[in-house]
Amino acid sequence: MRRPFIAGNWKMNLDRASAVALAEGLVKKAAGTDGVDIAICPPSLYLDAVAAAVAGSNVALGAQDMYHEPKGAFTGEISGAMLCDIGCKYVILGHSERRHVLGETDEDINKKVLAALEVGLLPIVCVGELLSDRKSGTTMEVIRRQFEGSLAGISAEQMQQITIAYEPVWAIGTGEVATPQQAEEVHLDLRKIMVQRYNDEVAEVVRIQYGGSVKPDNAAELIGQPNIDGALVGGAALKVDSFIGIIAGAGS
Ligand code: PGA
């Protein structure tokens, strides 16, 4: 049985004080929650402050991105080793905003995934189709291409360190959530891709989160699907009560 995993992606929101307050509020309310893995991914600049707020709790720290090189002349970038140094366990890679707003390619993401694994970070690798892909019936083609490209050269053993996040781009921040059936269909296909590419065991252990307008009132039904193992949450992760409500939905 895969343990549900709920991660909050705070994106470029909050200031230092509100980031710390949110983390402290979550730590308090999540204390004693059993059977669900929880992570929060603040803006890089606040990772250090949030790390202190979650220290010793059941809320893990994640970053929203990293650079693939270990160190050197890469102005403005942050390495995986730096994220480890500051207490990160997870790193989100290939989020649709990085793909579609910042222009990251599968090849860029692949380098980051390999570099993250190298330093012991657990990557959350995002895939997802545009509305135009869904309308033209190419959803699984796009997702397979992103999966193969972003995870090129990943061994079966490494794959087990990775969480996949299926995030249909049309559902992110729009309030338009995929139906549990639409999401489950893609999650099941992703599992089949892993059976083909690796084996049954890998396909059985890798967690696949759904992301895109997850809220307390739709979380339980989504995560109740056999192949949906948690959620990557944006907007609803910015308030203690809504994020806790989603965690409660995952545990139910
Ligand atoms: P949303 O964002 O929950 O606000 O739709 C999800 C995400 O981008 O990870």
Side-chain angles (χ1 to χ4, degrees), residues 111-134:
K111 285 187 204 155
K112 294 182 181 197
V113 175
L114 289 162
L117 291 167
E118 188 70 30
V119 294
L121 285 167
L122 304 177
I124 299 172
V125 179
C126 305
V127 295
E129 83 285 6
L130 298 167
L131 186 58
S132 54
D133 302 322
R134 182 155 283 270

Side-chain angles (χ1 to χ4, degrees), residues 6 22 25-26 29-30 33 36 38 214-223 231 233 236-252:
I6 307 295
L22 176 55
L26 288 172
K29 291 227 174 158
T33 300
V36 182
I38 305 166
V214 177
K215 304 273 178 305
D217 63 2
N218 60 27
E221 199 187 350
L222 283 160
I223 300 166
V233 185
L238 294 171
K239 294 256 157 51
V240 172
D241 288 344
S242 53
F243 195 56
I244 292 291
I246 291 168
I247 293 166
S252 61

Side-chain angles (χ1 to χ4, degrees), residues 201-216:
E201 193 203 334
V202 170
E204 194 51 43
V205 297
V206 172
R207 293 185 289 196
I208 310 174
Q209 296 174 323
Y210 167 79
S213 299
V214 177
K215 304 273 178 305

Side-chain angles (χ1 to χ4, degrees), residues 9 11 95 97 167 171-173 212-214 232-235:
N9 174 8
K11 308 191 180 184
H95 188 276
E97 287 142 24
E167 300 203 305
I172 297 178
S213 299
V214 177
L232 183 55
V233 185

